Amino acid sequence: QVQLVESGGDLVQPGGSLRLSCTAVGVIYKVYTMSWHRQAPGKERELVAIITRNSDSNYGASAKGRSTVSRDNTKDTMYLQMNSLEPEDTAVYYCNADVSRYVGTSSRNYWGKGTRVTVSS
């Protein structure tokens, strides 16, 4: 079994920063593309940032210029540094990853349970 464990969500004031982490745990051979998504109350889940195993990255419109995604393949971990946070960034942030568990097997897609970010004064 593979689990994606997110952490770093918190209550932060407008203009503040947060760093989210997502670690894949379990029997893992290789973690491929990883991504952050968020879902605000009453809204659909949306892409925040995506990063390949080679660290090529791309961002959703809400994150461009304010967020940086990175990863450490030695730790099977992805990070999201978010700056200049606004109340509109309040959401549950979810991690997603394609993971293969054994050599020679195809990858499967996994979701984490989410970490809550609240931006409020």
Short mmCIF file of all heavy atoms in Angstrom, two decimals, residues 38-85:
data_model
loop_
_atom_site.label_atom_id
_atom_site.label_comp_id
_atom_site.label_asym_id
_atom_site.label_seq_id
_atom_site.Cartn_x
_atom_site.Cartn_y
_atom_site.Cartn_z
N ARG A 38 -6.01 21.96 -5.00
CA ARG A 38 -6.72 22.52 -3.85
C ARG A 38 -8.20 22.57 -4.12
O ARG A 38 -8.65 22.64 -5.27
CB ARG A 38 -6.18 23.91 -3.53
CG ARG A 38 -6.58 24.99 -4.52
CD ARG A 38 -5.97 26.32 -4.13
NE ARG A 38 -6.49 27.41 -4.94
CZ ARG A 38 -6.06 28.67 -4.85
NH1 ARG A 38 -5.10 28.99 -3.99
NH2 ARG A 38 -6.59 29.60 -5.61
N GLN A 39 -8.94 22.52 -3.04
CA GLN A 39 -10.39 22.61 -3.14
C GLN A 39 -10.91 23.53 -2.05
O GLN A 39 -10.76 23.23 -0.85
CB GLN A 39 -11.05 21.24 -3.04
CG GLN A 39 -12.54 21.26 -3.32
CD GLN A 39 -13.10 19.89 -3.60
OE1 GLN A 39 -12.51 18.88 -3.24
NE2 GLN A 39 -14.24 19.83 -4.26
N ALA A 40 -11.47 24.63 -2.47
CA ALA A 40 -12.08 25.58 -1.54
C ALA A 40 -13.53 25.20 -1.32
O ALA A 40 -14.14 24.52 -2.15
CB ALA A 40 -11.98 26.99 -2.11
N PRO A 41 -14.12 25.64 -0.21
CA PRO A 41 -15.51 25.30 0.07
C PRO A 41 -16.44 25.73 -1.07
O PRO A 41 -16.37 26.87 -1.54
CB PRO A 41 -15.81 26.11 1.34
CG PRO A 41 -14.49 26.28 2.00
CD PRO A 41 -13.50 26.41 0.88
N GLY A 42 -17.23 24.79 -1.54
CA GLY A 42 -18.19 25.09 -2.59
C GLY A 42 -17.61 25.18 -3.98
O GLY A 42 -18.32 25.55 -4.93
N LYS A 43 -16.34 24.86 -4.13
CA LYS A 43 -15.70 24.97 -5.44
C LYS A 43 -15.11 23.63 -5.86
O LYS A 43 -14.92 22.74 -5.05
CB LYS A 43 -14.60 26.04 -5.41
CG LYS A 43 -15.12 27.44 -5.17
CD LYS A 43 -14.03 28.46 -5.35
CE LYS A 43 -14.56 29.88 -5.19
NZ LYS A 43 -13.51 30.90 -5.39
N GLU A 44 -14.82 23.51 -7.15
CA GLU A 44 -14.21 22.30 -7.66
C GLU A 44 -12.72 22.26 -7.32
O GLU A 44 -12.08 23.30 -7.13
CB GLU A 44 -14.42 22.22 -9.18
CG GLU A 44 -15.87 22.03 -9.59
CD GLU A 44 -16.02 21.79 -11.07
OE1 GLU A 44 -15.02 21.89 -11.80
OE2 GLU A 44 -17.15 21.49 -11.51
N ARG A 45 -12.19 21.06 -7.30
CA ARG A 45 -10.76 20.91 -7.08
C ARG A 45 -10.00 21.45 -8.29
O ARG A 45 -10.39 21.21 -9.44
CB ARG A 45 -10.42 19.43 -6.86
CG ARG A 45 -9.05 19.18 -6.32
CD ARG A 45 -8.85 17.72 -5.94
NE ARG A 45 -9.72 17.35 -4.82
CZ ARG A 45 -9.61 16.19 -4.17
NH1 ARG A 45 -8.68 15.31 -4.53
NH2 ARG A 45 -10.43 15.90 -3.18
N GLU A 46 -8.91 22.17 -8.03
CA GLU A 46 -8.14 22.76 -9.12
C GLU A 46 -6.65 22.48 -8.93
O GLU A 46 -6.16 22.33 -7.82
CB GLU A 46 -8.37 24.27 -9.19
CG GLU A 46 -7.90 25.04 -7.98
CD GLU A 46 -8.05 26.56 -8.15
OE1 GLU A 46 -8.41 27.03 -9.23
OE2 GLU A 46 -7.78 27.26 -7.16
N LEU A 47 -5.95 22.45 -10.06
CA LEU A 47 -4.51 22.23 -10.05
C LEU A 47 -3.80 23.49 -9.53
O LEU A 47 -4.07 24.60 -9.97
CB LEU A 47 -4.01 21.91 -11.45
CG LEU A 47 -2.51 21.80 -11.62
CD1 LEU A 47 -1.97 20.55 -10.93
CD2 LEU A 47 -2.14 21.79 -13.10
N VAL A 48 -2.85 23.27 -8.64
CA VAL A 48 -2.02 24.36 -8.15
C VAL A 48 -0.64 24.31 -8.81
O VAL A 48 -0.15 25.31 -9.34
CB VAL A 48 -1.85 24.29 -6.62
CG1 VAL A 48 -0.93 25.39 -6.13
CG2 VAL A 48 -3.21 24.38 -5.93
N ALA A 49 -0.02 23.14 -8.78
CA ALA A 49 1.32 23.00 -9.36
C ALA A 49 1.58 21.53 -9.66
O ALA A 49 1.04 20.66 -8.99
CB ALA A 49 2.38 23.54 -8.41
N ILE A 50 2.43 21.31 -10.65
CA ILE A 50 2.77 19.95 -11.04
C ILE A 50 4.27 19.88 -11.32
O ILE A 50 4.85 20.84 -11.82
CB ILE A 50 1.94 19.51 -12.27
CG1 ILE A 50 2.13 18.04 -12.58
CG2 ILE A 50 2.22 20.39 -13.48
CD1 ILE A 50 1.11 17.50 -13.56
N ILE A 51 4.88 18.75 -10.96
CA ILE A 51 6.33 18.62 -11.13
C ILE A 51 6.66 17.19 -11.53
O ILE A 51 6.18 16.24 -10.93
CB ILE A 51 7.08 19.05 -9.84
CG1 ILE A 51 8.58 19.04 -10.06
CG2 ILE A 51 6.67 18.20 -8.64
CD1 ILE A 51 9.35 19.77 -8.94
N THR A 52 7.48 17.07 -12.57
CA THR A 52 7.89 15.75 -13.01
C THR A 52 9.04 15.24 -12.16
O THR A 52 9.60 15.96 -11.33
CB THR A 52 8.35 15.79 -14.48
OG1 THR A 52 9.57 16.54 -14.56
CG2 THR A 52 7.29 16.43 -15.37
N ARG A 53 9.42 14.01 -12.40
CA ARG A 53 10.53 13.43 -11.65
C ARG A 53 11.83 14.19 -11.92
O ARG A 53 12.69 14.27 -11.06
CB ARG A 53 10.68 11.95 -11.98
CG ARG A 53 11.75 11.25 -11.17
CD ARG A 53 11.72 9.75 -11.29
NE ARG A 53 12.82 9.16 -10.54
CZ ARG A 53 12.78 8.95 -9.23
NH1 ARG A 53 11.70 9.26 -8.52
NH2 ARG A 53 13.83 8.42 -8.60
N ASN A 54 11.92 14.75 -13.10
CA ASN A 54 13.11 15.53 -13.46
C ASN A 54 13.00 16.99 -13.03
O ASN A 54 13.83 17.81 -13.43
CB ASN A 54 13.33 15.48 -14.97
CG ASN A 54 13.70 14.09 -15.43
OD1 ASN A 54 14.32 13.30 -14.69
ND2 ASN A 54 13.31 13.75 -16.65
N SER A 55 11.94 17.29 -12.27
CA SER A 55 11.71 18.63 -11.72
C SER A 55 11.31 19.67 -12.74
O SER A 55 11.47 20.87 -12.51
CB SER A 55 12.92 19.11 -10.91
OG SER A 55 13.06 18.35 -9.71
N ASP A 56 10.77 19.23 -13.87
CA ASP A 56 10.10 20.19 -14.75
C ASP A 56 8.76 20.52 -14.10
O ASP A 56 8.03 19.61 -13.68
CB ASP A 56 9.86 19.59 -16.13
CG ASP A 56 11.17 19.34 -16.86
OD1 ASP A 56 12.09 20.17 -16.73
OD2 ASP A 56 11.26 18.31 -17.57
N SER A 57 8.42 21.80 -14.03
CA SER A 57 7.23 22.18 -13.28
C SER A 57 6.33 23.11 -14.07
O SER A 57 6.75 23.76 -15.04
CB SER A 57 7.63 22.85 -11.96
OG SER A 57 8.41 24.01 -12.22
N ASN A 58 5.10 23.17 -13.64
CA ASN A 58 4.13 24.08 -14.21
C ASN A 58 3.13 24.45 -13.13
O ASN A 58 3.00 23.72 -12.13
CB ASN A 58 3.41 23.45 -15.41
CG ASN A 58 2.95 24.49 -16.40
OD1 ASN A 58 2.90 25.67 -16.09
ND2 ASN A 58 2.62 24.06 -17.61
N TYR A 59 2.42 25.55 -13.33
CA TYR A 59 1.56 26.07 -12.28
C TYR A 59 0.18 26.41 -12.81
O TYR A 59 0.01 26.82 -13.96
CB TYR A 59 2.18 27.33 -11.68
CG TYR A 59 3.50 27.08 -11.01
CD1 TYR A 59 4.70 27.14 -11.73
CD2 TYR A 59 3.57 26.74 -9.66
CE1 TYR A 59 5.91 26.87 -11.13
CE2 TYR A 59 4.78 26.49 -9.04
CZ TYR A 59 5.95 26.55 -9.78
OH TYR A 59 7.15 26.29 -9.18
N GLY A 60 -0.80 26.28 -11.91
CA GLY A 60 -2.12 26.78 -12.22
C GLY A 60 -2.12 28.29 -12.12
O GLY A 60 -1.21 28.89 -11.54
N ALA A 61 -3.16 28.89 -12.65
CA ALA A 61 -3.22 30.35 -12.71
C ALA A 61 -3.13 30.99 -11.33
O ALA A 61 -2.54 32.05 -11.15
CB ALA A 61 -4.50 30.78 -13.41
N SER A 62 -3.71 30.33 -10.33
CA SER A 62 -3.75 30.92 -8.99
C SER A 62 -2.39 30.94 -8.31
O SER A 62 -2.15 31.73 -7.40
CB SER A 62 -4.72 30.14 -8.11
OG SER A 62 -4.27 28.81 -7.92
N ALA A 63 -1.48 30.09 -8.77
CA ALA A 63 -0.19 29.95 -8.08
C ALA A 63 0.95 30.67 -8.78
O ALA A 63 1.99 30.92 -8.16
CB ALA A 63 0.16 28.46 -7.97
N LYS A 64 0.79 30.98 -10.05
CA LYS A 64 1.90 31.57 -10.81
C LYS A 64 2.40 32.85 -10.15
O LYS A 64 1.63 33.74 -9.82
CB LYS A 64 1.45 31.86 -12.24
CG LYS A 64 1.40 30.63 -13.11
CD LYS A 64 1.03 30.97 -14.54
CE LYS A 64 1.02 29.70 -15.40
NZ LYS A 64 0.61 29.98 -16.79
N GLY A 65 3.72 32.90 -9.98
CA GLY A 65 4.35 34.09 -9.43
C GLY A 65 4.36 34.14 -7.91
O GLY A 65 5.07 34.95 -7.33
N ARG A 66 3.59 33.29 -7.26
CA ARG A 66 3.51 33.33 -5.80
C ARG A 66 3.95 32.03 -5.15
O ARG A 66 4.14 31.97 -3.94
CB ARG A 66 2.09 33.65 -5.35
CG ARG A 66 1.58 35.00 -5.80
CD ARG A 66 0.26 35.33 -5.10
NE ARG A 66 -0.79 34.38 -5.43
CZ ARG A 66 -1.55 33.77 -4.53
NH1 ARG A 66 -1.38 34.00 -3.24
NH2 ARG A 66 -2.49 32.93 -4.91
N SER A 67 4.06 30.98 -5.93
CA SER A 67 4.36 29.66 -5.37
C SER A 67 5.50 29.00 -6.12
O SER A 67 5.71 29.27 -7.30
CB SER A 67 3.12 28.76 -5.44
OG SER A 67 2.06 29.30 -4.68
N THR A 68 6.20 28.14 -5.41
CA THR A 68 7.28 27.37 -6.01
C THR A 68 7.14 25.92 -5.58
O THR A 68 7.09 25.62 -4.37
CB THR A 68 8.65 27.89 -5.57
OG1 THR A 68 8.78 29.26 -5.94
CG2 THR A 68 9.76 27.09 -6.25
N VAL A 69 7.08 25.02 -6.56
CA VAL A 69 7.02 23.59 -6.27
C VAL A 69 8.40 22.99 -6.45
O VAL A 69 9.15 23.39 -7.36
CB VAL A 69 5.97 22.90 -7.16
CG1 VAL A 69 6.34 22.97 -8.64
CG2 VAL A 69 5.75 21.46 -6.70
N SER A 70 8.75 22.07 -5.59
CA SER A 70 10.05 21.40 -5.67
C SER A 70 9.89 19.98 -5.14
O SER A 70 8.84 19.63 -4.60
CB SER A 70 11.11 22.16 -4.88
OG SER A 70 10.74 22.24 -3.52
N ARG A 71 10.92 19.18 -5.30
CA ARG A 71 10.86 17.80 -4.80
C ARG A 71 12.24 17.30 -4.47
O ARG A 71 13.25 17.80 -4.98
CB ARG A 71 10.17 16.89 -5.81
CG ARG A 71 10.91 16.71 -7.11
CD ARG A 71 10.06 15.94 -8.13
NE ARG A 71 9.92 14.54 -7.77
CZ ARG A 71 9.05 13.71 -8.35
NH1 ARG A 71 8.22 14.16 -9.30
NH2 ARG A 71 8.99 12.44 -7.98
N ASP A 72 12.26 16.29 -3.62
CA ASP A 72 13.48 15.59 -3.25
C ASP A 72 13.23 14.11 -3.51
O ASP A 72 12.52 13.45 -2.73
CB ASP A 72 13.81 15.84 -1.77
CG ASP A 72 15.12 15.21 -1.34
OD1 ASP A 72 15.61 14.30 -2.05
OD2 ASP A 72 15.65 15.61 -0.30
N ASN A 73 13.77 13.61 -4.60
CA ASN A 73 13.51 12.22 -4.97
C ASN A 73 14.11 11.23 -3.98
O ASN A 73 13.63 10.10 -3.87
CB ASN A 73 14.04 11.94 -6.37
CG ASN A 73 13.23 12.66 -7.44
OD1 ASN A 73 12.06 12.97 -7.25
ND2 ASN A 73 13.87 12.94 -8.57
N THR A 74 15.13 11.64 -3.26
CA THR A 74 15.73 10.74 -2.28
C THR A 74 14.81 10.52 -1.08
O THR A 74 14.95 9.54 -0.34
CB THR A 74 17.08 11.26 -1.77
OG1 THR A 74 16.87 12.47 -1.03
CG2 THR A 74 18.03 11.53 -2.92
N LYS A 75 13.87 11.45 -0.91
CA LYS A 75 12.93 11.35 0.21
C LYS A 75 11.49 11.10 -0.26
O LYS A 75 10.57 11.09 0.56
CB LYS A 75 12.96 12.64 1.03
CG LYS A 75 14.31 12.93 1.67
CD LYS A 75 14.29 14.24 2.45
CE LYS A 75 15.64 14.52 3.10
NZ LYS A 75 15.64 15.80 3.84
N ASP A 76 11.31 10.94 -1.58
CA ASP A 76 9.96 10.75 -2.14
C ASP A 76 9.03 11.86 -1.65
O ASP A 76 7.86 11.60 -1.31
CB ASP A 76 9.40 9.37 -1.77
CG ASP A 76 10.16 8.23 -2.44
OD1 ASP A 76 10.72 8.46 -3.54
OD2 ASP A 76 10.22 7.14 -1.86
N THR A 77 9.53 13.07 -1.63
CA THR A 77 8.80 14.19 -1.05
C THR A 77 8.73 15.36 -2.02
O THR A 77 9.69 15.65 -2.73
CB THR A 77 9.46 14.65 0.25
OG1 THR A 77 9.42 13.57 1.20
CG2 THR A 77 8.76 15.85 0.84
N MET A 78 7.57 16.00 -2.03
CA MET A 78 7.34 17.20 -2.82
C MET A 78 6.99 18.33 -1.87
O MET A 78 6.37 18.11 -0.82
CB MET A 78 6.18 16.96 -3.79
CG MET A 78 5.70 18.18 -4.53
SD MET A 78 4.34 17.85 -5.66
CE MET A 78 3.06 17.30 -4.55
N TYR A 79 7.37 19.54 -2.24
CA TYR A 79 7.13 20.72 -1.43
C TYR A 79 6.37 21.77 -2.25
O TYR A 79 6.47 21.82 -3.48
CB TYR A 79 8.44 21.32 -0.94
CG TYR A 79 9.32 20.35 -0.23
CD1 TYR A 79 10.36 19.70 -0.92
CD2 TYR A 79 9.14 20.05 1.11
CE1 TYR A 79 11.18 18.79 -0.28
CE2 TYR A 79 9.96 19.15 1.77
CZ TYR A 79 10.98 18.52 1.07
OH TYR A 79 11.79 17.61 1.71
N LEU A 80 5.65 22.61 -1.55
CA LEU A 80 5.02 23.78 -2.17
C LEU A 80 5.25 24.97 -1.26
O LEU A 80 4.70 25.03 -0.16
CB LEU A 80 3.52 23.55 -2.39
CG LEU A 80 2.80 24.69 -3.10
CD1 LEU A 80 3.27 24.80 -4.56
CD2 LEU A 80 1.28 24.51 -3.04
N GLN A 81 6.07 25.88 -1.72
CA GLN A 81 6.31 27.13 -1.00
C GLN A 81 5.32 28.15 -1.52
O GLN A 81 5.32 28.47 -2.72
CB GLN A 81 7.74 27.61 -1.22
CG GLN A 81 8.04 28.96 -0.57
CD GLN A 81 8.04 28.90 0.94
OE1 GLN A 81 8.55 27.95 1.53
NE2 GLN A 81 7.46 29.90 1.57
N MET A 82 4.46 28.65 -0.64
CA MET A 82 3.45 29.62 -1.03
C MET A 82 3.72 30.94 -0.33
O MET A 82 3.85 30.98 0.91
CB MET A 82 2.06 29.10 -0.67
CG MET A 82 1.71 27.76 -1.32
SD MET A 82 -0.01 27.32 -1.07
CE MET A 82 -0.03 27.08 0.71
N ASN A 83 3.76 32.01 -1.10
CA ASN A 83 4.02 33.34 -0.57
C ASN A 83 2.86 34.28 -0.89
O ASN A 83 2.03 33.96 -1.75
CB ASN A 83 5.31 33.89 -1.16
CG ASN A 83 6.51 33.01 -0.88
OD1 ASN A 83 6.67 32.48 0.22
ND2 ASN A 83 7.36 32.84 -1.89
N SER A 84 2.84 35.40 -0.21
CA SER A 84 1.81 36.43 -0.45
C SER A 84 0.41 35.81 -0.44
O SER A 84 -0.40 36.07 -1.34
CB SER A 84 2.08 37.14 -1.78
OG SER A 84 3.36 37.71 -1.81
N LEU A 85 0.15 35.03 0.57
CA LEU A 85 -1.13 34.33 0.63
C LEU A 85 -2.29 35.30 0.82
O LEU A 85 -2.15 36.33 1.52
CB LEU A 85 -1.11 33.29 1.75
CG LEU A 85 -0.27 32.05 1.43
CD1 LEU A 85 0.03 31.26 2.69
CD2 LEU A 85 -1.01 31.17 0.42
#
